[in-house]
Amino acid sequence: MGPPSSSGFYVSRAGALLLAGLAAALLLALAVLAALYGHCARVLPSELHHSGVPDTEPSQPGAPEEPPPTPKPGPTQELEVAATPRKWRPPGPWDQLRLPPWLVPLHYELELWPLLRPDELSVPGLRFTGRVNITVRCMAATARLLLHSLFLDCESAEVRGPLSPDTKDATVGRVPVDEVWFALDMQYMVLELGQALQPGSRYELQLSFSGPVYQDTREGLFLNLYTDQGKRRALLASQLEPTFARNVFPCFDEPALKATFNITIIHHPSYVALSNMPKLGQSEKEDVNGSKWTVTTFYTTPHMPTYLAAFAVCDYEYVSRIERGKEIRIWARKDAIAGGNADFALNITGPIFSFLEDLFNISYPLPKTDIIALPTFDNRAMENWGLLMFDESLLLLQPNDKLTEKKTVISYIVCHEIGHQWFGNLVTMNWWNNIWLNEGFASYFEVGVINYFNPKLPRDEIFFSNILHGVLREDHALVSRAVSRKVENFTETNEINELFDQFTYNKGASMARMLSSFLNEKIFISALKSYLETFSYSNAEQDDLWRHFQMAVDEQSKILLPATVKSIMDSWTHQSGFPIITLNASTGIMKQEPFYLGKVKNQSLLTHNDTWIVPILWMKNGTTQSLVWLDNSSKVFPEMQVSDSDHDWVILNLNMTGYYRVNYDKLGWKRLNQQLEKDPKAIPVIHRLQLVDDAFSLSKNNYIEIETALDLTKYLAEEDEIIVWHAVLLNLVTRDLIFEGKNHDIYPLLKKYLLKRLIPIWNTYSTIIRENVAALQDDYLALISLEKVFGTACWLGLEDCLQLSKELFRNWMNHPENEIPYPIKNVILCYGIALGNDKEWDFLLNIYNNTTKEEERIQLAYALGCSKEPWILNRYMEHAIAPSPLTFNETNIIEAVAASEVGRYIAKDFLINNWQAVSESCSSFAVTCWRSTSDSQFMPNCRQ
């Protein structure tokens, strides 16, 4: 899947706000669904949906509960299908997260029939029916079969076999199925057989089923409702990773259990059906009511895990191109295709495929690639083999997106998903505990590949901003999350879903980058080629990867390591956190210790005693030095001592390729500070970023004094790299400080100190904004940094910033075609309202009421809360509790008001005076409405 939102991966503000608020409601909905669908009796789907309860009557209070009788089917008796609660059954393999190794799937014949009609989009309880024939090989004699199934109604179950290879798999018998039941805890369907299957023989499981099409979550088979060409439309799509294939069809839903698939989709004739492979053929089918349906069949897939199977049924159009003889199609809403919004993605997709084919010397094995832009996909993307799926906000580029970071973000995400065609699809991790082998390497290559096509993009700085910075802020020695975990540590399915976090993506990518740095690019790629070739269409463990790297190292003599690749990398992937490397520049003594959030005086109370085998790439006085290794808790490196000369300085962790932070003694920090004040350009940009980020993190967590970090900012008047300013301001002008506002004791001192240094960088970019804003469109680092710089300048009261905000806002009011530059739009909207009166406020409210895009509506709603006029803010908040022709569906008005310095006091008084009405409004959303901040002020958290 695509990277998580905590990484550099793009997530809209709308997505962030909505996801946060919907989380509690979604969890509640899932719990309710579990109760509703837990019973899988042989009843009509409509009966199950309307009743939501078992057919059997509940036991009387106090009566002993017994399992229901299970009659064996006779010649004309229907098979009973039921759920069995845990307390009614003895312990068994259905209590384990992993499937027993009794059966190995070889092939699926899968047919799905979603009952979607274009004239019945609002019909509640949309469902699908299906059939699957699974060819399996029996590995151990068993009279009980387990496979995955969740929220599916089983209509029939048969087992044919053993299959005879001499007669093209003709069956030579039938194995009686005595009972089918469901173990809901581990999401199993259990088939109790009348006789045992024979080891070495092949069988065919024939299952008919039906299930729900999800509308409120993007898992399994789900529905999207959207508007295209002025009409309300619908599409169906699938998301099966990591464990949602079982929501669509009974299957062996583990990544190592690869098989081939023949997929058939029955759909309304007005729709197009897509799947992993090209269309094989089409025919017509008539249902019992005489309605005609189209039957689309697809070619056989390569061996692949269930989570990569993909389906879409849509009324879309596409643009296409041929790359090395294979068709690439981008599918999207007809309006989007006509507007050219898919052209950018189409033009970059083919070259990325070709680059990776050449890099690994392994051709993409499928005959086509479809990429579909979904109206709603929770700001995600998915790498399904042959049918990649994207939230349309991460794939489509509109003409007015030129001044956003979106072009670069789309490039990275498309590259990430294409990288999965090798890392994940061709070679799959053996189980989810090593999902970082998929996501980490896809994240690593997304930066390198896009840098190849756009050499002006600074690779190291972008890796820091998009990937490294976020995960270093969250990681520490006591976090319970290593990159690779032991399989036996997993006990529940939801633990698998939790693996898709920034440790898997960003820390995984950082592991790959560090490995590449202490080897070299040639050895790194050579090892990966060998790994991919060896395990193509198969599965691998982390140790398999290390073995191929060790083979590449052993074949040369230039790179010498202090230990095996496995020993080095296991020290990073099998333990949580990362080390702080401290260099005493006076003595050359280097030591390592685990990094804790908030260093404690009594380190003996902490339990993290392991060390890392640390590669130390470094520079002295601007010259790169030879790699050294810190493979003990401390070590002496005389070459790292600095002399008495003020010109002598040392920086560890060259280009920030190592996954650690660096501390120095007082002399080491002093020399670096002196160099910054004398000639900052002598220290590369990535290391100016590093010094700021490391120093403030170490200060925040009690490793060094805050004065040491602040000393590094004295030179900032000479700093012309906006990404460095961005890092400084993220650390100095925190959200808590802004919330405290100008009443904070430090504000006057900070204002004087920062404005003196900020004005040069402000003058540079304010001039660009005024005179040639188009010059920013390819400056990715500026696009992601400008909002923080401009917002800070205005917050500090820089008159030119306030004046520019008024100019841009009023120019937009008078000439709507003169749009506010996107990178600073949030700042200009807020200060335009704050510095204006009811005229500006009413204008923006009118814009809000005529805007349909969710993200823009949230942006405008928050800007409306920036007013400093109490009567305006009170009028605004009344919309939260009173019936109104205005619909603020995406955000909580009170929270928008409370986010401003003036508004929080007004919001507090409003809550006190209108608590009953507010609480009733919030309770209707069934979510928690308030959270207490550290200073006991209330901060609304009511999401719709």
Side-chain angles (χ1 to χ4, degrees), residues 751-824:
K751 175 179 178 178
K752 181 178 179 180
Y753 182 83
L754 277 181
L755 283 182
K756 179 180 178 181
R757 292 161 174 79
L758 186 66
I759 287 176
I761 195 79
W762 164 263
N763 288 338
T764 298
Y765 283 95
S766 62
T767 300
I768 293 174
I769 292 291
R770 285 184 166 109
E771 298 179 359
N772 184 24
V773 69
L776 295 172
Q777 63 182 356
D778 293 321
D779 190 345
Y780 175 71
L781 294 180
L783 292 173
I784 65 174
S785 303
L786 274 170
E787 182 176 314
K788 184 65 177 177
V789 173
F790 272 58
T792 300
C794 284
W795 179 73
L796 291 172
L798 181 62
E799 185 58 37
D800 191 44
C801 183
L802 301 176
Q803 185 61 35
L804 179 59
S805 298
K806 288 191 287 188
E807 287 176 10
L808 292 175
F809 192 95
R810 288 173 181 170
N811 187 32
W812 177 51
M813 281 183 65
N814 298 327
H815 306 282
E817 69 277 9
N818 295 334
E819 294 188 2
I820 298 171
Y822 180 86
I824 56 172

Side-chain angles (χ1 to χ4, degrees), residues 583-649:
L583 174 66
N584 187 314
S586 303
T587 63
I589 296 175
M590 187 189 301
K591 67 175 184 177
Q592 62 167 291
E593 60 181 311
F595 174 78
Y596 296 97
L597 292 180
K599 183 180 181 182
V600 297
K601 292 182 179 180
N602 190 354
Q603 292 290 119
S604 63
L605 296 176
L606 304 174
T607 58
H608 196 297
N609 298 316
D610 294 329
T611 57
W612 291 261
I613 303 176
V614 186
I616 308 290
L617 287 161
W618 60 294
M619 67 164 53
K620 190 170 188 178
N621 305 329
T623 302
T624 301
Q625 306 295 313
S626 298
L627 169 70
V628 298
W629 290 88
L630 180 61
D631 49 4
N632 294 305
S633 58
S634 66
K635 207 169 184 178
V636 180
F637 297 95
E639 64 272 30
M640 293 187 184
Q641 290 178 270
V642 297
S643 67
D644 294 335
S645 168
D646 291 343
H647 304 286
D648 228 9
W649 52 271

Side-chain angles (χ1 to χ4, degrees), residues 731-926:
N731 283 287
L732 274 181
V733 186
T734 62
R735 179 177 178 180
D736 289 342
L737 180 60
I738 293 173
F739 189 75
E740 282 290 332
K742 298 172 184 178
N743 295 325
H744 200 292
D745 293 341
I746 202 175
Y747 178 79
L749 299 174
L750 187 64
K751 175 179 178 178
K752 181 178 179 180
Y753 182 83
L754 277 181
L755 283 182
K756 179 180 178 181
R757 292 161 174 79
L758 186 66
I759 287 176
I761 195 79
W762 164 263
N763 288 338
T764 298
Y765 283 95
S766 62
T767 300
I768 293 174
I769 292 291
R770 285 184 166 109
E771 298 179 359
N772 184 24
V773 69
L776 295 172
Q777 63 182 356
D778 293 321
D779 190 345
Y780 175 71
L781 294 180
L783 292 173
I784 65 174
S785 303
L786 274 170
E787 182 176 314
K788 184 65 177 177
V789 173
F790 272 58
T792 300
C794 284
W795 179 73
L796 291 172
L798 181 62
E799 185 58 37
D800 191 44
C801 183
L802 301 176
Q803 185 61 35
L804 179 59
S805 298
K806 288 191 287 188
E807 287 176 10
L808 292 175
F809 192 95
R810 288 173 181 170
N811 187 32
W812 177 51
M813 281 183 65
N814 298 327
H815 306 282
E817 69 277 9
N818 295 334
E819 294 188 2
I820 298 171
Y822 180 86
I824 56 172
K825 188 172 183 178
N826 286 330
V827 178
I828 303 305
L829 288 176
C830 186
Y831 280 93
I833 291 296
L835 299 170
N837 51 37
D838 57 334
K839 179 181 179 181
E840 284 80 7
W841 200 90
D842 289 339
F843 166 78
L844 198 63
L845 180 64
N846 182 60
I847 296 293
Y848 175 92
N849 289 330
N850 289 284
T851 298
T852 58
K853 291 184 179 180
E854 175 186 53
E855 182 176 359
E856 290 182 16
R857 286 172 67 86
I858 291 181
Q859 183 182 50
L860 295 170
Y862 270 86
L864 288 167
C866 291
S867 175
K868 294 184 178 181
E869 295 290 344
W871 70 272
I872 290 178
L873 294 178
N874 275 295
R875 186 182 73 174
Y876 187 29
M877 287 186 290
E878 287 172 359
H879 294 306
I881 60 173
S884 169
L886 308 178
T887 55
F888 294 87
N889 294 327
E890 298 86 357
T891 190
N892 175 23
I893 301 171
I894 300 176
E895 181 174 357
V897 171
S900 73
E901 183 181 348
V902 173
R904 62 172 175 159
Y905 299 105
I906 297 170
K908 181 179 179 180
D909 291 340
F910 184 87
L911 288 174
I912 293 172
N913 296 329
N914 299 275
W915 176 251
Q916 182 64 33
V918 172
S919 61
E920 290 175 359
S921 176
C922 284
S923 64
S924 68
F925 308 134

Side-chain angles (χ1 to χ4, degrees), residues 689-708:
L689 270 173
Q690 175 199 11
L691 291 174
V692 167
D693 201 59
D694 281 355
F696 277 100
S697 177
L698 294 172
S699 170
K700 178 182 177 182
N701 292 287
N702 305 321
Y703 286 89
I704 62 174
E705 299 296 329
I706 183 60
E707 289 79 8
T708 302

Side-chain angles (χ1 to χ4, degrees), residues 53 110 122 217 221 236 280 374 440 529 553 611 689 766 854 928:
V53 296
L110 175 62
S122 60
T217 181
L221 192 63
L236 294 176
L280 174 62
L374 303 179
K529 284 181 180 179
V553 170
T611 57
L689 270 173
S766 62
E854 175 186 53
T928 302

Side-chain angles (χ1 to χ4, degrees), residues 37-41 68 81-86 88-89 180-184:
Y37 294 104
H39 179 77
C40 185
V81 183
T84 304
R86 174 176 291 189
W88 283 350
R89 63 176 188 261
V180 176
W181 58 276
F182 288 83
L184 295 182

